[in-house]
Amino acid sequence: MRSTALLTAAAAAALTIGAAAPASAAPKLAAPGTPVYSGMEIRINKPVADLGVAVLATASKCTLGAVVSSGRALTAGHCGKRGTKIYTKSGAQIGTVTANLIGAKADIGVISLIRGLGTRVDSIDWSSRVAKGSPVSKSGITTGTTRGTVIDPRQKLLRAVECPYPNLIPGSSSILCAITPPQLLVNQSTYVVETSFKSQPGDSGSGVRNGSGQVVGIVSSIPQAVDAKGNPIIRSFYTPVSRVPGNLR
């Protein structure tokens, strides 16, 4: 993104032979009873370059934000497009992204979970009502549990784009995106609420909880801003869960 930093953490790149993984290389499904809970690490294999005889894929890490039911969970929309398979840290598949709301200006992805997992269902306030100064917190895989307050409860449209180029050489992605016409960048503008808690890459998708412990939003991004002395300003943006359609709750 230009105005904000997406919070997906990229791990080491892996080379997968063939345009698609052969059937014998299909990932294993998570065993029955595998714990699935808000705040756990989830991994997504993202193809970043098609080399003809091989596909270069990056294993990205996000945080699972909320378990809606035994069959459904939420994370950040930019963590995976529709059809993206979701894995545990150990590489077992727990589900698939079956709805991505970025097109509706909501940075939330809906995961359909496989059957038989040990899900810990969260209490969710679908109204997402908060007031200025209300206490909020999140639990992410990078910075753990951090607390803060709502800076502005009014939802604002954060205009942002995702760079479509792989960062095969450090810094190359930023250079290419800087000279790319805006119409060729991927629009990921989303409605967000601004808070004062800390987030870092990998915390994307974390569930944001109100003072009663209910999930009210999903962590989306952090502003790239500094104060008068050049120090980073600690802020985080989240997308309210009120933007999830009723049929996906």
Coordinates of all heavy atoms in Angstrom, one line a residue, residues 130-227:
V130 N -18.6 1.6 18.8 CA -17.5 2.1 19.8 C -17.6 3.6 19.8 O -18.2 4.2 18.9 CB -16.1 1.7 19.3 CG1 -15.9 0.2 19.4 CG2 -15.8 2.2 17.9
A131 N -17.1 4.2 20.9 CA -17.1 5.6 21.0 C -15.6 6.1 21.1 O -14.7 5.3 21.4 CB -17.8 6.0 22.3
K132 N -15.5 7.4 20.9 CA -14.1 8.0 21.0 C -13.6 7.7 22.4 O -14.3 8.0 23.4 CB -14.2 9.5 20.7 CG -12.8 10.1 20.7 CD -12.9 11.6 20.3 CE -11.5 12.2 20.3 NZ -11.6 13.7 19.9
G133 N -12.4 7.2 22.5 CA -11.8 6.9 23.8 C -12.1 5.6 24.4 O -11.5 5.2 25.4
S134 N -13.0 4.8 23.7 CA -13.3 3.5 24.2 C -12.1 2.6 24.2 O -11.2 2.6 23.2 CB -14.4 2.8 23.3 OG -15.6 3.5 23.3
P135 N -11.9 1.7 25.2 CA -10.7 0.8 25.2 C -10.9 -0.3 24.2 O -12.0 -0.9 24.0 CB -10.8 0.2 26.6 CG -12.2 0.3 27.0 CD -12.7 1.6 26.4
V136 N -9.8 -0.6 23.4 CA -9.8 -1.7 22.5 C -8.5 -2.4 22.6 O -7.5 -1.9 23.1 CB -10.0 -1.2 21.0 CG1 -11.5 -0.9 20.8 CG2 -9.1 0.0 20.7
S137 N -8.5 -3.7 22.1 CA -7.2 -4.4 22.2 C -7.2 -5.4 21.0 O -8.3 -5.7 20.4 CB -7.1 -5.2 23.5 OG -8.2 -6.1 23.6
K138 N -6.1 -6.0 20.8 CA -5.9 -7.0 19.8 C -4.8 -8.0 20.2 O -3.9 -7.6 21.0 CB -5.6 -6.4 18.4 CG -4.2 -5.9 18.2 CD -3.3 -7.0 17.5 CE -1.8 -6.5 17.5 NZ -1.2 -6.5 18.8
S139 N -4.9 -9.2 19.7 CA -3.9 -10.2 20.0 C -3.4 -10.7 18.6 O -4.1 -11.4 17.9 CB -4.4 -11.4 20.8 OG -3.4 -12.3 21.1
G140 N -2.1 -10.4 18.3 CA -1.6 -10.8 17.0 C -0.3 -11.6 17.1 O 0.3 -11.7 18.2
I141 N 0.1 -12.3 16.1 CA 1.2 -13.2 16.2 C 2.6 -12.5 16.3 O 3.6 -13.1 16.7 CB 1.2 -14.2 15.0 CG1 1.5 -13.4 13.6 CG2 0.0 -15.0 14.9 CD1 1.7 -14.3 12.5
T142 N 2.6 -11.2 15.9 CA 3.9 -10.5 16.0 C 4.1 -9.7 17.3 O 5.1 -9.8 18.0 CB 4.0 -9.5 14.8 OG1 3.9 -10.3 13.6 CG2 5.4 -8.8 14.8
T143 N 3.1 -8.9 17.6 CA 3.2 -8.0 18.8 C 2.4 -8.5 20.0 O 2.4 -7.8 21.0 CB 2.8 -6.6 18.4 OG1 1.5 -6.6 17.9 CG2 3.7 -6.0 17.4
G144 N 1.8 -9.7 19.9 CA 1.0 -10.2 21.0 C -0.2 -9.3 21.3 O -0.8 -8.8 20.4
T145 N -0.5 -9.2 22.6 CA -1.7 -8.5 23.0 C -1.3 -7.0 23.2 O -0.4 -6.8 24.0 CB -2.3 -9.0 24.3 OG1 -2.8 -10.4 24.0 CG2 -3.5 -8.2 24.7
T146 N -1.9 -6.1 22.5 CA -1.6 -4.7 22.7 C -3.0 -4.0 22.9 O -4.0 -4.4 22.4 CB -0.9 -4.1 21.5 OG1 -1.7 -4.3 20.3 CG2 0.5 -4.7 21.3
R147 N -2.9 -2.9 23.7 CA -4.1 -2.2 24.1 C -4.0 -0.7 23.7 O -2.9 -0.2 23.6 CB -4.4 -2.4 25.6 CG -4.4 -3.8 26.0 CD -4.7 -4.0 27.5 NE -4.5 -5.4 28.0 CZ -5.4 -6.3 27.8 NH1 -6.6 -6.0 27.2 NH2 -5.2 -7.5 28.2
G148 N -5.2 -0.1 23.5 CA -5.2 1.3 23.2 C -6.7 1.8 23.3 O -7.5 1.2 24.0
T149 N -6.9 2.9 22.6 CA -8.3 3.4 22.6 C -8.7 3.8 21.2 O -7.8 3.9 20.3 CB -8.3 4.7 23.5 OG1 -7.4 5.7 23.0 CG2 -8.0 4.4 24.9
V150 N -9.9 4.0 21.0 CA -10.4 4.5 19.7 C -10.1 5.9 19.5 O -10.5 6.8 20.4 CB -12.0 4.2 19.6 CG1 -12.5 4.8 18.3 CG2 -12.3 2.7 19.7
I151 N -9.4 6.3 18.5 CA -9.1 7.7 18.2 C -10.3 8.4 17.5 O -10.6 9.5 17.9 CB -7.9 7.8 17.2 CG1 -6.6 7.1 17.9 CG2 -7.5 9.2 16.9 CD1 -6.2 7.7 19.2
D152 N -10.9 7.7 16.6 CA -12.0 8.3 15.9 C -13.0 7.1 15.5 O -12.6 6.2 14.7 CB -11.6 9.0 14.6 CG -12.7 9.8 13.9 OD1 -13.9 9.5 14.3 OD2 -12.4 10.6 13.0
P153 N -14.2 7.1 16.1 CA -15.1 6.0 15.9 C -15.7 6.0 14.5 O -16.3 5.0 14.0 CB -16.1 6.1 17.0 CG -16.1 7.6 17.2 CD -14.7 8.0 17.1
R154 N -15.6 7.2 13.8 CA -16.3 7.3 12.5 C -15.5 6.5 11.5 O -14.3 6.6 11.4 CB -16.3 8.8 12.1 CG -17.2 9.6 13.0 CD -17.1 11.1 12.6 NE -15.7 11.5 12.9 CZ -15.3 12.8 12.6 NH1 -16.1 13.7 12.1 NH2 -14.0 13.1 12.9
Q155 N -16.2 5.7 10.7 CA -15.5 4.9 9.7 C -15.1 5.8 8.5 O -15.9 6.6 8.0 CB -16.4 3.8 9.2 CG -16.8 2.8 10.2 CD -17.7 1.7 9.7 OE1 -17.6 1.3 8.5 NE2 -18.5 1.1 10.6
K156 N -13.8 5.7 8.1 CA -13.4 6.5 7.0 C -12.8 5.6 5.9 O -12.2 4.6 6.2 CB -12.3 7.5 7.5 CG -11.1 6.9 8.1 CD -10.1 8.0 8.5 CE -8.9 7.5 9.2 NZ -8.0 8.5 9.6
L157 N -12.9 6.0 4.7 CA -12.4 5.3 3.6 C -10.9 5.5 3.4 O -10.5 6.6 3.2 CB -13.1 5.6 2.3 CG -12.7 4.8 1.0 CD1 -13.0 3.3 1.3 CD2 -13.4 5.3 -0.2
L158 N -10.1 4.5 3.7 CA -8.7 4.6 3.6 C -8.3 4.2 2.1 O -8.5 3.0 1.7 CB -8.0 3.6 4.6 CG -6.5 3.7 4.7 CD1 -6.1 5.0 5.4 CD2 -6.0 2.6 5.6
R159 N -7.9 5.1 1.4 CA -7.6 4.9 0.0 C -6.2 4.3 -0.1 O -5.2 4.9 0.4 CB -7.6 6.2 -0.8 CG -9.0 6.8 -0.8 CD -9.2 7.9 -1.7 NE -10.5 8.5 -1.6 CZ -11.6 8.0 -2.2 NH1 -11.5 6.9 -3.0 NH2 -12.8 8.6 -2.1
A160 N -6.1 3.1 -0.7 CA -4.8 2.4 -0.7 C -4.8 1.4 -1.9 O -5.8 1.0 -2.4 CB -4.6 1.6 0.6
V161 N -3.6 1.0 -2.3 CA -3.4 0.1 -3.3 C -2.4 -1.0 -2.9 O -1.6 -0.7 -2.1 CB -2.9 0.7 -4.7 CG1 -4.0 1.6 -5.2 CG2 -1.7 1.5 -4.4
E162 N -2.5 -2.1 -3.5 CA -1.5 -3.2 -3.3 C -0.6 -3.3 -4.5 O -1.0 -3.2 -5.7 CB -2.2 -4.5 -3.1 CG -1.2 -5.7 -2.9 CD -1.9 -7.0 -2.9 OE1 -2.9 -7.1 -3.5 OE2 -1.3 -7.9 -2.3
C163 N 0.7 -3.3 -4.3 CA 1.7 -3.5 -5.4 C 1.6 -4.9 -5.9 O 1.7 -5.9 -5.1 CB 3.1 -3.2 -4.8 SG 4.3 -3.4 -6.1
P164 N 1.4 -5.1 -7.2 CA 1.2 -6.4 -7.7 C 2.5 -7.1 -8.1 O 2.5 -8.3 -8.5 CB 0.4 -6.2 -9.0 CG 0.9 -4.8 -9.5 CD 1.1 -4.1 -8.2
Y165 N 3.7 -6.5 -7.9 CA 4.9 -7.0 -8.2 C 5.6 -7.8 -7.1 O 5.6 -7.3 -6.0 CB 5.9 -5.9 -8.7 CG 5.4 -5.1 -9.9 CD1 5.0 -3.8 -9.7 CD2 5.2 -5.7 -11.1 CE1 4.5 -3.0 -10.7 CE2 4.6 -4.9 -12.2 CZ 4.3 -3.6 -11.9 OH 3.8 -2.8 -13.0
P166 N 6.2 -9.0 -7.4 CA 7.0 -9.7 -6.4 C 8.2 -9.0 -6.0 O 8.9 -8.4 -6.9 CB 7.2 -11.0 -7.0 CG 7.3 -10.7 -8.5 CD 6.2 -9.7 -8.7
N167 N 8.6 -9.0 -4.7 CA 9.8 -8.4 -4.3 C 11.0 -9.4 -4.3 O 11.6 -9.8 -3.3 CB 9.6 -7.9 -2.8 CG 10.7 -6.9 -2.5 OD1 11.1 -6.1 -3.3 ND2 11.2 -6.9 -1.2
L168 N 11.3 -9.9 -5.6 CA 12.3 -10.9 -5.8 C 13.7 -10.4 -5.4 O 14.5 -11.2 -4.9 CB 12.3 -11.4 -7.2 CG 11.0 -12.0 -7.7 CD1 11.1 -12.4 -9.2 CD2 10.6 -13.2 -6.8
I169 N 13.9 -9.1 -5.6 CA 15.2 -8.5 -5.1 C 14.8 -7.4 -4.1 O 13.9 -6.6 -4.4 CB 16.0 -7.8 -6.3 CG1 16.3 -8.9 -7.3 CG2 17.2 -7.2 -5.8 CD1 16.9 -8.4 -8.6
P170 N 15.4 -7.4 -2.9 CA 15.0 -6.4 -1.9 C 14.9 -5.0 -2.5 O 15.8 -4.5 -3.1 CB 16.1 -6.5 -0.8 CG 16.6 -7.9 -1.0 CD 16.5 -8.3 -2.4
G171 N 13.7 -4.4 -2.3 CA 13.5 -3.0 -2.8 C 13.0 -2.9 -4.2 O 12.5 -1.9 -4.6
S172 N 13.0 -4.0 -4.9 CA 12.6 -4.0 -6.3 C 11.1 -3.7 -6.5 O 10.7 -3.0 -7.4 CB 12.9 -5.3 -7.1 OG 12.3 -6.4 -6.5
S173 N 10.3 -4.3 -5.6 CA 8.9 -4.1 -5.6 C 8.5 -2.6 -5.5 O 7.7 -2.1 -6.2 CB 8.2 -4.9 -4.6 OG 6.8 -4.7 -4.6
S174 N 9.1 -1.9 -4.5 CA 8.8 -0.5 -4.2 C 9.2 0.4 -5.4 O 8.4 1.3 -5.8 CB 9.6 0.0 -3.0 OG 9.2 -0.8 -1.9
I175 N 10.3 0.0 -6.1 CA 10.7 0.8 -7.2 C 9.7 0.7 -8.4 O 9.3 1.7 -9.0 CB 12.1 0.4 -7.7 CG1 13.2 0.8 -6.6 CG2 12.5 1.1 -9.0 CD1 14.5 0.2 -6.8
L176 N 9.4 -0.6 -8.7 CA 8.4 -0.8 -9.8 C 7.1 -0.2 -9.5 O 6.5 0.4 -10.4 CB 8.3 -2.3 -10.0 CG 9.4 -3.1 -10.6 CD1 9.2 -4.6 -10.5 CD2 9.7 -2.6 -12.0
C177 N 6.6 -0.2 -8.3 CA 5.3 0.3 -8.0 C 5.3 1.9 -8.0 O 4.3 2.5 -8.4 CB 4.8 -0.1 -6.6 SG 4.2 -1.8 -6.6
A178 N 6.4 2.5 -7.7 CA 6.6 3.9 -7.8 C 6.4 4.5 -9.2 O 6.0 5.6 -9.4 CB 7.9 4.4 -7.2
I179 N 6.8 3.6 -10.2 CA 6.7 4.1 -11.6 C 5.5 3.5 -12.4 O 5.4 3.8 -13.6 CB 8.0 3.8 -12.3 CG1 8.3 2.3 -12.4 CG2 9.2 4.5 -11.6 CD1 9.5 1.9 -13.2
T180 N 4.7 2.7 -11.7 CA 3.6 2.1 -12.3 C 2.4 3.0 -12.4 O 2.0 3.7 -11.3 CB 3.2 0.8 -11.6 OG1 4.3 -0.1 -11.7 CG2 1.9 0.2 -12.2
P181 N 1.7 3.2 -13.5 CA 0.5 4.0 -13.6 C -0.6 3.5 -12.5 O -0.7 2.3 -12.3 CB 0.0 3.7 -15.0 CG 1.2 3.3 -15.8 CD 2.0 2.6 -14.8
P182 N -1.2 4.4 -11.8 CA -2.2 4.0 -10.8 C -3.2 3.0 -11.2 O -3.6 2.2 -10.4 CB -2.8 5.4 -10.4 CG -1.8 6.4 -10.8 CD -1.1 5.9 -12.0
Q183 N -3.7 3.1 -12.5 CA -4.7 2.2 -12.9 C -4.3 0.7 -13.0 O -5.1 -0.2 -13.1 CB -5.3 2.6 -14.3 CG -4.3 2.6 -15.4 CD -3.6 3.9 -15.6 OE1 -3.4 4.7 -14.7 NE2 -3.1 4.2 -16.8
L184 N -3.0 0.5 -12.9 CA -2.5 -0.9 -13.0 C -2.2 -1.5 -11.6 O -1.9 -2.6 -11.5 CB -1.2 -0.9 -13.8 CG -1.3 -0.5 -15.3 CD1 0.1 -0.7 -15.9 CD2 -2.4 -1.4 -16.0
L185 N -2.3 -0.6 -10.6 CA -2.2 -1.1 -9.2 C -3.5 -1.7 -8.7 O -4.6 -1.4 -9.2 CB -1.7 0.0 -8.3 CG -0.4 0.6 -8.6 CD1 -0.1 1.8 -7.7 CD2 0.7 -0.4 -8.5
V186 N -3.5 -2.6 -7.7 CA -4.7 -3.3 -7.2 C -5.3 -2.4 -6.1 O -4.7 -2.2 -5.1 CB -4.3 -4.6 -6.7 CG1 -5.6 -5.4 -6.2 CG2 -3.6 -5.5 -7.7
N187 N -6.5 -1.9 -6.4 CA -7.2 -1.1 -5.5 C -7.7 -1.9 -4.2 O -8.4 -2.9 -4.4 CB -8.5 -0.5 -6.1 CG -9.2 0.5 -5.2 OD1 -8.8 0.7 -4.1 ND2 -10.1 1.2 -5.8
Q188 N -7.2 -1.5 -3.1 CA -7.6 -2.2 -1.8 C -8.1 -1.2 -0.8 O -7.9 -1.3 0.4 CB -6.4 -3.0 -1.2 CG -6.1 -4.2 -2.1 CD -5.3 -5.2 -1.3 OE1 -4.7 -4.9 -0.3 NE2 -5.2 -6.4 -1.8
S189 N -8.8 -0.1 -1.3 CA -9.3 0.9 -0.4 C -10.4 0.2 0.5 O -11.1 -0.6 0.1 CB -10.0 2.0 -1.2 OG -9.0 2.7 -2.0
T190 N -10.4 0.6 1.8 CA -11.3 0.0 2.7 C -11.7 0.9 3.8 O -11.0 1.9 4.1 CB -10.6 -1.3 3.3 OG1 -11.5 -2.0 4.2 CG2 -9.4 -0.9 4.1
Y191 N -12.9 0.7 4.4 CA -13.4 1.5 5.5 C -12.7 1.0 6.8 O -12.7 -0.2 7.1 CB -14.9 1.4 5.6 CG -15.6 2.3 4.6 CD1 -16.1 1.8 3.4 CD2 -15.7 3.7 4.8 CE1 -16.7 2.6 2.4 CE2 -16.3 4.5 3.9 CZ -16.8 3.9 2.7 OH -17.4 4.7 1.7
V192 N -12.2 2.0 7.6 CA -11.5 1.6 8.8 C -11.9 2.5 10.0 O -12.4 3.6 9.8 CB -10.0 1.7 8.6 CG1 -9.5 0.6 7.6 CG2 -9.5 3.1 8.2
V193 N -11.5 2.1 11.2 CA -11.6 2.9 12.4 C -10.2 3.0 12.9 O -9.4 2.0 12.9 CB -12.5 2.2 13.4 CG1 -12.4 2.9 14.8 CG2 -14.0 2.2 13.0
E194 N -9.8 4.2 13.4 CA -8.4 4.4 13.8 C -8.3 4.2 15.3 O -9.2 4.7 16.1 CB -8.0 5.9 13.5 CG -6.6 6.2 13.8 CD -6.2 7.6 13.4 OE1 -7.0 8.3 12.8 OE2 -5.0 8.0 13.6
T195 N -7.2 3.5 15.8 CA -7.0 3.2 17.2 C -5.6 3.6 17.5 O -4.7 3.8 16.7 CB -7.2 1.8 17.5 OG1 -6.2 1.0 17.0 CG2 -8.5 1.3 16.9
S196 N -5.2 3.5 18.8 CA -3.9 3.8 19.3 C -3.1 2.6 19.7 O -2.0 2.7 20.3 CB -4.0 4.8 20.5 OG -4.6 4.2 21.6
F197 N -3.6 1.4 19.5 CA -2.8 0.2 19.8 C -1.8 -0.1 18.8 O -1.9 0.3 17.6 CB -3.6 -1.0 20.2 CG -4.5 -1.5 19.1 CD1 -4.0 -2.2 18.0 CD2 -5.9 -1.4 19.1 CE1 -4.7 -2.7 17.0 CE2 -6.7 -1.9 18.1 CZ -6.1 -2.6 17.0
K198 N -0.7 -0.9 19.1 CA 0.4 -1.2 18.2 C 0.1 -2.4 17.4 O -0.4 -3.4 18.0 CB 1.7 -1.3 19.0 CG 2.9 -1.6 18.2 CD 4.2 -1.7 19.1 CE 5.4 -1.9 18.2 NZ 6.6 -2.0 19.0
S199 N 0.5 -2.4 16.2 CA 0.5 -3.6 15.3 C 1.7 -3.5 14.4 O 2.2 -2.5 14.1 CB -0.8 -3.6 14.4 OG -2.0 -3.7 15.2
Q200 N 2.1 -4.7 13.9 CA 3.2 -4.9 13.0 C 2.9 -5.9 12.0 O 1.9 -6.7 12.1 CB 4.5 -5.2 13.8 CG 5.0 -4.1 14.7 CD 5.6 -2.9 13.9 OE1 6.1 -3.1 12.8 NE2 5.4 -1.7 14.4
P201 N 3.7 -6.1 10.9 CA 3.4 -7.1 9.9 C 3.3 -8.5 10.6 O 4.0 -8.9 11.5 CB 4.7 -7.0 9.1 CG 5.1 -5.6 9.1 CD 4.8 -5.2 10.5
G202 N 2.3 -9.2 10.2 CA 1.9 -10.5 10.8 C 0.7 -10.4 11.6 O 0.0 -11.4 11.9
D203 N 0.4 -9.2 12.1 CA -0.8 -9.0 13.0 C -2.0 -8.8 12.2 O -3.1 -8.7 12.7 CB -0.6 -7.7 13.9 CG 0.5 -7.9 15.0 OD1 0.6 -9.1 15.4 OD2 1.1 -7.0 15.4
S204 N -1.9 -8.7 10.8 CA -3.1 -8.6 10.0 C -4.1 -9.7 10.3 O -3.7 -10.8 10.4 CB -2.7 -8.7 8.5 OG -2.6 -7.5 7.9
G205 N -5.3 -9.3 10.3 CA -6.4 -10.3 10.6 C -6.7 -10.4 12.1 O -7.7 -11.1 12.4
S206 N -6.0 -9.8 13.0 CA -6.2 -10.0 14.4 C -7.6 -9.4 14.7 O -8.1 -8.4 14.1 CB -5.2 -9.2 15.2 OG -3.9 -9.6 15.0
G207 N -8.3 -10.1 15.6 CA -9.6 -9.6 16.1 C -9.4 -8.4 17.1 O -8.6 -8.5 18.0
V208 N -10.1 -7.4 16.8 CA -10.1 -6.2 17.7 C -11.3 -6.3 18.7 O -12.4 -6.5 18.2 CB -10.2 -4.9 16.9 CG1 -10.2 -3.7 17.8 CG2 -9.1 -4.8 15.9
R209 N -11.0 -6.3 20.0 CA -12.0 -6.5 21.0 C -12.3 -5.2 21.7 O -11.4 -4.4 22.0 CB -11.6 -7.6 22.0 CG -11.4 -8.9 21.3 CD -10.9 -10.0 22.3 NE -10.7 -11.2 21.6 CZ -11.6 -12.2 21.3 NH1 -12.8 -12.0 21.8 NH2 -11.3 -13.3 20.7
N210 N -13.6 -5.0 22.1 CA -14.0 -3.9 22.9 C -13.7 -4.2 24.4 O -13.2 -5.2 24.7 CB -15.5 -3.5 22.7 CG -16.4 -4.7 23.0 OD1 -16.1 -5.6 23.8 ND2 -17.6 -4.7 22.4
G211 N -14.1 -3.3 25.3 CA -13.9 -3.4 26.7 C -14.5 -4.6 27.3 O -14.1 -5.1 28.4
S212 N -15.5 -5.2 26.6 CA -16.3 -6.3 27.1 C -15.7 -7.6 26.6 O -16.2 -8.7 26.9 CB -17.7 -6.2 26.8 OG -18.3 -5.1 27.4
G213 N -14.7 -7.5 25.7 CA -14.0 -8.7 25.2 C -14.7 -9.2 23.9 O -14.3 -10.3 23.4
Q214 N -15.7 -8.5 23.4 CA -16.3 -8.9 22.1 C -15.5 -8.4 20.9 O -15.0 -7.3 20.9 CB -17.7 -8.4 22.0 CG -18.7 -8.9 23.1 CD -20.0 -8.3 23.0 OE1 -20.2 -7.1 23.2 NE2 -21.0 -9.1 22.7
V215 N -15.5 -9.2 19.9 CA -14.8 -8.8 18.6 C -15.6 -7.8 17.9 O -16.8 -8.0 17.7 CB -14.5 -10.0 17.7 CG1 -13.9 -9.5 16.4 CG2 -13.6 -11.0 18.4
V216 N -15.0 -6.6 17.6 CA -15.7 -5.5 16.9 C -15.1 -5.2 15.5 O -15.7 -4.5 14.7 CB -15.8 -4.2 17.7 CG1 -16.7 -4.4 18.9 CG2 -14.4 -3.7 18.0
G217 N -13.9 -5.8 15.3 CA -13.3 -5.5 14.0 C -12.1 -6.4 13.7 O -11.7 -7.3 14.6
I218 N -11.5 -6.2 12.5 CA -10.4 -7.0 12.1 C -9.2 -6.1 11.7 O -9.4 -5.2 10.9 CB -10.7 -7.9 10.9 CG1 -11.9 -8.9 11.2 CG2 -9.5 -8.6 10.4 CD1 -11.5 -9.9 12.3
V219 N -8.0 -6.3 12.3 CA -6.9 -5.4 12.0 C -6.6 -5.4 10.5 O -6.4 -6.5 9.9 CB -5.7 -5.8 12.8 CG1 -4.4 -5.0 12.4 CG2 -5.9 -5.6 14.3
S220 N -6.4 -4.2 10.0 CA -6.1 -4.1 8.5 C -4.7 -3.6 8.2 O -4.0 -4.2 7.5 CB -7.1 -3.2 7.9 OG -6.8 -2.9 6.5
S221 N -4.4 -2.4 8.8 CA -3.1 -1.8 8.4 C -2.6 -0.8 9.5 O -3.3 -0.5 10.5 CB -3.3 -1.0 7.1 OG -4.4 -0.1 7.2
I222 N -1.4 -0.2 9.2 CA -0.9 0.8 10.1 C -0.5 2.0 9.3 O -0.1 1.8 8.1 CB 0.4 0.3 10.9 CG1 1.4 -0.3 9.9 CG2 0.0 -0.7 11.9 CD1 2.7 -0.7 10.6
P223 N -0.7 3.2 9.8 CA -0.3 4.4 9.0 C 1.2 4.5 8.9 O 1.9 4.2 9.9 CB -0.9 5.5 9.8 CG -1.0 5.1 11.2 CD -1.2 3.6 11.1
Q224 N 1.7 5.0 7.8 CA 3.2 5.3 7.7 C 3.3 6.8 8.1 O 3.4 7.7 7.2 CB 3.7 5.0 6.3 CG 3.6 3.5 6.0 CD 4.0 3.2 4.6 OE1 3.8 4.0 3.7 NE2 4.6 2.0 4.4
A225 N 3.4 7.1 9.3 CA 3.4 8.5 9.8 C 4.4 8.7 10.9 O 4.6 7.8 11.7 CB 2.0 9.0 10.2
V226 N 4.9 9.9 11.0 CA 5.9 10.2 12.1 C 5.5 11.5 12.7 O 4.7 12.4 12.1 CB 7.3 10.3 11.6 CG1 7.8 9.0 11.1 CG2 7.4 11.4 10.5
D227 N 5.9 11.8 14.0 CA 5.6 13.0 14.6 C 6.7 14.1 14.3 O 7.5 13.8 13.4 CB 5.6 12.8 16.2 CG 6.9 12.3 16.7 OD1 8.0 12.5 16.1 OD2 6.9 11.8 17.9

